[in-house]
Amino acid sequence: MRFDLDGLDVFFPYDRIYLEQHQYMRALKQTLDGGGHCLLEMPTGTGKTVCLLSLITSYQFANPGAGKLVYCTRTVPEMNSVMEELATVLAYRAEQLGLQDGNDNDVGNGADDDVQMVDIEDVAGKSTRSNTEDENDTGKSNEADTAAAGSTSSNSRRKKKRRRVYRRKDGPPMGPISDGKGAGGSGCLALCLSSRRNMCVHERVMKEADREAVDAACRSMTATWVLDMAKKNPGSIETCPYYDAFHSAGEATTLPSGVYDLEELKKWGKERGWCPYYLTRQAINHANILVFNYQYMLDPKVAKMVSKELEAESIIVFDEAHNIDSVCIEALSVTVNERGLEQATRSLGRLSSEVSRIKASDNQRLQAEYQNLVNGLVDQGLLEAPANDAGLAGNVLNADVLNEAVPGNIRRAEHFIAFMKKIVEHLKSRLRTVAGPNGGVQSETPLAFLHRMMNGTSLEAKPLKFAYSRLTSLLRTLQVSNLDDFNALTDIADFVTLLSTYSEGVARFAIIMEPNISSIPGASDPVIQLACLDASLAIAPLFKRFGSVVITSGTLSPIDLYPKLLQFEPRVSESLQMSTFRPCIRPLVVTRGSDQLAVSTKFDDRGDLGVVRNYGAMLVELCSSIPDGVVAFFTSYSYMESIIGEWDGMGILRQLTKHKLVFIETKDVVETTLALDNYRRACDSGRGAVFLSVARGKVSEGINFDRHYGRAVIMFGVPFQYTLSHVLRARLEYLQTHYQIREQDFLNFDALRQASQCVGRVIRSKTDYGLMIFADSRYNRHDKRSKLPKWILQFLGDQYLNLSTDMALQHCRHFLRLMAQPIDQAALQSVLLTLEEVERMNPRQEGGTETAGEGGAMITEVL
């Protein structure tokens, strides 16, 4: 569908569109036209990703001055999903532009054998993918729904029109596109960037087990000093042939127009003998669309790698950003424990020995570093000068630190090592005090902690600001390849750098010292935590530097709290409802068991045997009535473990296994992955299964349970954070004092967005259906349920509130009988807008009247 949206020519690769998709794209366009930021909540499973990509790429095409589209995701599977949808969007645009130009040899007209127009029934039959992918609520919902509806309305007797989808025979057109004018008909270059572990093609390095080992193996073959040594003495040291070829090719290492996911980048690099990781980093400057992880934009230590390549006109998108405030806080928080301090001591010993060795053999290298430090960090190349005054590095280092010479007392390597030893010993003494008999939990402001450190070590505050950069310089000078051996020392340098940088003014950090955070009885693990309290610190440079930042998700409610947490003023803030032809989701609030005893996981009631028994009986009865897969979420790992133990003693698990196989999420990623795989196999075989998992865990954030994998999601309790956490208490006090966000408001907001995220796993398109069961009496309170997203509340009628287990079972059976009926084709057509209806939805012209169109939208008729 190609249509006009308030003067913008939009290329949308599906024949029909939902009303909420049109509203979503209009809100996006208002944001881009006005040059501001926006908060958008769109129902899960209604094609959010394809709307983002269609609108923004169309905007880029119509406005050549617009900058890059930077699409931030959470995981690699989600990244690949975005690239697939992007390839479909650009292939459709190329086909449309080819028709417009009368070019019969363009994409979609037979020139490229990889691209064909297939019938929607064929695509829908092949569109099922692994549910391990993250939040794949893309335009495939349009495919599935249109396929179910057929190509015509029952109210029309027109000849059936075959639905066209622009895809390769085995998926969307990926890789280089040389036909016509390139990708999208305009020579677009779309790249995704990930870690070395996901992009390396070197046979030996790929065999390494974890990310740290891959990074170390790569650096040992690609570092500058390694290449210099190999050049002087060929064959004396192993180098990477892919990096060598990439380095030798120089400016010839360019990527042609196309859409490159991780596999295509590896394929392209391997065919030419070039390293895909470094090739992609170099090509960032020439790309129109970039897709990578949140950390590349929010973590200041990582963001420096890409910040200099992004112009101020770039459009930044954070998808699935319901937890973006937590991501920002984690990026600027550091934890130090006894084991880390001991490792840092050993690292300093290694550095000291290496410095002594180099002074004896190659003192000139240390002298050169000293002179560079005199010139300042920017001149040395440690910190590249930002493109403008609001560079991304500014949220950690002040401008005077960037341009100033490193203080004289830490310029020499041996002096800096002695400097760091004093810091490590001071932190050890503080930990001993906390863990001692007169210790206990202590909380200090950064200024107070810094003052005690200066008194205890006789160090000055100014050199502390340079600790992280000075350590980076020393490791480079000493030609250290395996930087992961120095992670503990790096954390301490990061700790003191942040401490000294943000010690003045409003205390946006808190120092929390706890004598024991170990969950193992009898074990002692004292820690010092530098906890960031203000989420806006990490994201503020993005709001200041870039014209448009889009924060979107299916579960942003209550949406009005995000501007306060992130300290920005959105130009557009909208929460959209779901247009639907049938009640495809059925939220139920269960407040009582069959014996009419109230059920709740609040602290006073969670250990009550009556509550435990009622929860178990509820799960058994639901599993006996609901076919296929059922997913149950608990508020924490400890609560899930305790209640499963109680159920086992009561014989409830034995009853449960008569109806379905039981699988449990653990903290071990491998175990959980195996459990998920076997859960799907049980659902596929018809045996049915129930998956017991935890809110805020891996399953709640990243796994979809669509179709028969999730016919019901049960949320046992309200997933509040651990309110006795000292870090959380400090943050709540900060929010109350500085942003006037009440403690209970934030806790309710955070718990309900987590609950919404859990139950949202069950629905992935409008032809899908599922039950959402909130099993806690507190959900019946208006202050709790009102914070659920609008697209859930629109289905939550009064008749579904304050239910007992027996009443809920009746509603479940009625809902499942209703959903088992054949889809009403005419009803489904009513929510899929045609091109004619969309064109009439542009703003009313003079003398026009508004009427309701077939899709339920307000459309304009010109008189």
Side-chain angles (χ1 to χ4, degrees):
M1 178 187 293
R2 182 178 180 182
F3 61 93
D4 179 86
L5 179 65
D6 300 342
L8 177 65
D9 192 10
V10 177
F11 298 88
F12 186 77
Y14 301 96
D15 287 342
R16 289 176 174 248
I17 189 173
Y18 297 136
L19 173 61
E20 58 266 36
Q21 287 180 316
H22 189 273
Q23 294 170 335
Y24 187 84
M25 287 194 279
R26 175 165 282 170
L28 272 175
K29 184 178 182 299
Q30 291 174 359
T31 301
L32 299 180
D33 286 342
H37 315 304
C38 70
L39 279 166
L40 295 175
E41 181 182 62
M42 186 175 181
T44 296
T46 53
K48 171 166 43 52
T49 303
V50 74
C51 290
L52 281 164
L53 297 174
S54 296
L55 190 283
I56 297 177
T57 55
S58 299
Y59 189 87
Q60 286 179 311
F61 181 72
N63 300 275
K68 294 178 175 60
L69 164 58
V70 181
Y71 198 109
C72 300
T73 67
R74 297 175 301 173
T75 65
V76 171
E78 187 180 21
M79 183 188 302
N80 287 330
S81 173
V82 171
M83 299 305 288
E84 287 181 15
E85 200 66 55
L86 176 61
T88 303
V89 171
L90 294 181
Y92 174 76
R93 189 173 85 188
E95 189 270 345
Q96 288 294 306
L97 294 175
L99 291 177
Q100 176 180 300
D101 296 338
N103 183 0
D104 293 334
N105 295 320
D106 203 36
V107 176
N109 288 337
D112 189 345
D113 292 335
D114 282 341
V115 180
Q116 65 170 3
M117 292 175 289
V118 297
D119 195 40
I120 180 60
E121 285 79 4
D122 298 329
V123 175
K126 298 175 183 177
S127 64
T128 301
R129 296 206 304 272
S130 168
N131 288 287
T132 56
E133 295 188 0
D134 234 298
E135 281 301 320
N136 187 17
D137 53 349
T138 63
K140 293 178 180 57
S141 57
N142 294 64
E143 290 180 8
D145 296 351
T146 309
S151 300
T152 59
S153 169
S154 62
N155 297 328
S156 173
R157 298 183 180 274
R158 291 175 295 180
K159 181 180 178 182
K160 181 178 179 180
K161 181 180 178 182
R162 289 176 71 81
R163 163 102 157 118
R164 296 191 300 178
V165 181
Y166 301 87
R167 304 247 171 160
R168 286 191 307 183
K169 296 174 184 177
D170 57 344
M174 290 285 187
I177 298 176
S178 56
D179 295 322
K181 298 179 181 179
S186 60
C188 276
L189 176 60
L191 302 173
C192 56
L193 179 63
S194 187
S195 64
R196 290 177 174 88
R197 181 180 60 177
N198 296 320
M199 301 188 72
C200 183
V201 292
H202 191 283
E203 290 77 7
R204 181 177 68 80
V205 177
M206 289 170 63
K207 295 178 182 178
E208 298 292 348
D210 53 24
R211 180 187 62 81
E212 291 80 6
V214 170
D215 289 349
C218 179
R219 292 192 192 100
S220 68
M221 294 188 290
T222 60
T224 305
W225 54 87
V226 173
L227 299 179
D228 291 342
M229 187 180 300
K231 188 175 181 180
K232 293 177 182 178
N233 302 299
S236 62
I237 190 170
E238 182 185 7
T239 59
C240 175
Y242 295 100
Y243 182 80
D244 292 343
F246 163 78
H247 192 262
S248 301
E251 295 184 0
T253 54
T254 57
L255 280 166
S257 170
V259 179
Y260 298 84
D261 62 5
L262 293 178
E263 288 303 316
E264 283 295 333
L265 285 168
K266 292 166 72 172
K267 177 182 174 183
W268 174 266
K270 200 164 187 176
E271 286 175 352
R272 283 151 186 79
W274 297 341
C275 173
Y277 175 74
Y278 287 100
L279 173 65
T280 305
R281 285 184 57 175
Q282 178 175 288
I284 284 176
N285 194 41
H286 310 291
N288 307 96
I289 302 166
L290 297 172
V291 181
F292 45 59
N293 190 274
Y294 280 25
Q295 301 301 329
Y296 286 80
M297 295 301 294
L298 295 177
D299 189 334
K301 297 187 290 296
V302 182
K304 288 185 292 185
M305 183 178 69
V306 295
S307 65
K308 62 181 181 297
E309 310 293 349
L310 302 179
E311 56 268 44
E313 295 79 16
S314 296
I315 302 166
I316 314 298
V317 174
F318 289 100
D319 196 7
E320 299 308 324
H322 44 276
N323 286 332
I324 192 169
D325 57 313
S326 300
V327 176
C328 292
I329 282 177
E330 290 170 7
L332 292 177
S333 298
V334 185
T335 298
V336 176
N337 58 18
E338 278 187 329
R339 184 173 57 183
L341 290 172
E342 291 300 330
Q343 186 178 343
T345 300
R346 291 192 294 271
S347 298
L348 287 170
R350 287 178 56 187
L351 291 178
S352 181
S353 300
E354 188 66 14
V355 167
S356 299
R357 186 185 66 81
I358 292 179
K359 285 181 71 174
S361 61
D362 189 10
N363 192 45
Q364 186 61 35
R365 196 196 307 172
L366 294 175
Q367 289 296 331
E369 183 203 27
Y370 178 88
Q371 189 58 46
N372 285 332
L373 293 173
V374 172
N375 296 333
L377 295 173
V378 172
D379 292 339
Q380 192 209 356
L382 272 175
L383 296 169
E384 297 198 20
N388 53 44
D389 292 339
L392 289 177
N395 60 340
V396 172
L397 297 177
N398 295 328
D400 59 331
V401 177
L402 289 174
N403 299 305
E404 198 173 333
V406 174
N409 58 348
I410 60 171
R411 287 178 193 164
R412 294 200 178 277
E414 56 270 30
H415 294 168
F416 174 68
I417 291 173
F419 173 85
M420 290 300 299
K421 284 181 178 178
K422 287 186 177 182
I423 293 173
V424 171
E425 290 303 318
H426 175 76
L427 294 177
K428 284 182 179 180
S429 68
R430 293 301 304 267
L431 273 185
R432 285 194 295 270
T433 302
V434 170
N438 298 324
V441 177
Q442 299 177 23
S443 178
E444 295 181 4
T445 65
L447 185 60
F449 190 90
L450 181 64
H451 183 69
R452 290 190 63 172
M453 177 182 287
M454 292 167 58
N455 288 340
T457 61
S458 302
L459 297 176
E460 298 177 1
K462 184 177 179 180
L464 294 174
K465 295 182 180 181
F466 294 83
Y468 186 86
S469 300
R470 180 65 185 91
L471 177 60
T472 304
S473 171
L474 180 59
L475 293 174
R476 181 185 300 175
T477 301
L478 298 181
Q479 301 179 353
V480 175
S481 299
N482 193 358
L483 298 178
D484 296 298
D485 290 345
F486 296 87
N487 276 345
L489 185 58
T490 302
D491 287 342
I492 292 170
D494 192 21
F495 179 96
V496 296
T497 299
L498 287 168
L499 176 70
S500 56
T501 302
Y502 293 108
S503 60
E504 299 176 359
V506 176
R508 296 183 173 184
F509 287 78
I511 304 292
I512 310 292
M513 292 170 282
E514 298 186 64
N516 188 17
I517 64 168
S518 175
S519 58
I520 303 174
S524 176
D525 186 17
V527 297
I528 300 176
Q529 301 175 72
L530 176 66
C532 178
L533 306 178
D534 191 346
S536 68
L537 274 179
I539 202 170
L542 302 185
F543 289 136
K544 186 176 181 181
R545 178 177 179 184
F546 297 111
S548 295
V549 177
V550 178
I551 296 175
T552 184
S553 178
T555 51
L556 286 179
S557 296
I559 203 168
D560 57 343
L561 209 55
Y562 284 91
K564 291 183 179 180
L565 291 174
L566 302 179
Q567 287 297 289
F568 77 109
E569 295 182 7
R571 184 176 184 84
V572 177
S573 179
E574 239 179 280
S575 180
L576 302 176
Q577 289 189 334
M578 180 187 293
S579 61
T580 180
F581 66 98
R582 63 175 184 173
C584 57
I585 60 174
R586 178 61 55 84
L588 302 172
V589 176
V590 181
T591 61
R592 292 161 286 136
S594 299
D595 59 0
Q596 303 305 309
L597 176 68
V599 292
S600 177
T601 61
K602 59 185 180 182
F603 188 76
D604 295 337
D605 297 341
R606 64 173 53 187
D608 188 284
L609 290 180
V611 173
V612 173
R613 187 181 299 107
N614 273 327
Y615 272 145
M618 183 190 306
L619 183 59
V620 170
E621 292 179 26
L622 287 170
C623 287
S624 67
S625 301
I626 299 171
D628 300 319
V630 174
V631 186
F633 287 98
F634 297 86
T635 55
S636 66
Y637 281 106
S638 60
Y639 180 61
M640 181 176 70
E641 290 168 2
S642 66
I643 200 170
I644 289 175
E646 295 283 357
W647 285 351
D648 186 38
M650 295 177 179
I652 290 174
L653 287 183
R654 193 161 50 253
Q655 298 176 44
L656 190 59
T657 53
K658 292 179 181 178
H659 305 291
K660 296 185 186 297
L661 297 180
V662 180
F663 299 92
I664 303 174
E665 176 185 5
T666 68
K667 295 180 181 179
D668 186 272
V669 175
V670 177
E671 286 183 357
T672 301
T673 303
L674 288 173
L676 279 169
D677 184 56
N678 288 319
Y679 169 83
R680 292 194 186 92
R681 290 172 59 190
C683 293
D684 290 335
S685 68
R687 175 66 173 83
V690 57
F691 198 93
L692 308 181
S693 50
V694 176
R696 306 177 196 276
K698 177 179 182 291
V699 172
S700 68
E701 286 291 335
I703 308 300
N704 298 329
F705 294 95
D706 61 334
R707 299 177 295 112
H708 63 292
Y709 296 124
R711 287 306 180 201
V713 171
I714 308 167
M715 183 71 241
F716 288 117
V718 183
F720 286 108
Q721 292 191 54
Y722 180 55
T723 53
L724 297 182
S725 164
H726 299 283
V727 174
L728 177 61
R729 302 306 308 174
R731 187 183 180 197
L732 291 173
E733 184 180 344
Y734 178 85
L735 293 175
Q736 170 74 51
T737 304
H738 298 283
Y739 299 149
Q740 289 73 55
I741 299 175
R742 294 190 309 156
E743 174 181 315
Q744 200 57 44
D745 287 344
F746 178 80
L747 290 174
N748 284 335
F749 153 78
D750 182 69
L752 269 296
R753 67 175 171 179
Q754 296 300 330
S756 302
Q757 188 66 18
C758 291
V759 298
R761 307 291 90 208
V762 79
I763 186 82
R764 305 313 308 164
S765 75
K766 294 185 183 180
T767 55
D768 195 7
Y769 61 90
L771 291 151
M772 300 177 175
I773 300 170
F774 299 91
D776 194 298
S777 58
R778 290 172 290 180
Y779 286 113
N780 204 50
R781 293 166 49 182
H782 184 267
D783 68 319
K784 295 288 189 299
R785 68 173 188 271
S786 64
K787 292 179 171 57
L788 293 170
K790 285 183 179 179
W791 59 271
I792 294 179
L793 288 175
Q794 73 182 89
F795 297 101
L796 185 59
D798 291 342
Q799 68 272 31
Y800 305 132
L801 300 175
N802 197 23
L803 304 176
S804 66
T805 300
D806 295 335
M807 297 166 64
L809 282 170
Q810 293 179 19
H811 285 296
C812 289
R813 295 186 183 111
H814 177 266
F815 173 76
L816 293 171
R817 282 197 299 269
L818 180 65
M819 292 298 103
Q821 305 306 310
I823 292 175
D824 185 339
Q825 307 297 324
L828 179 52
Q829 284 288 60
S830 69
V831 298
L832 289 166
L833 304 179
T834 64
L835 178 59
E836 292 75 17
E837 289 174 323
V838 170
E839 288 176 342
R840 293 197 300 248
M841 288 174 63
N842 267 331
R844 182 172 60 181
Q845 302 175 16
E846 186 177 354
T849 60
E850 289 186 341
T851 60
E854 181 186 356
M858 298 305 293
I859 61 177
T860 303
E861 293 180 350
V862 180
L863 299 178

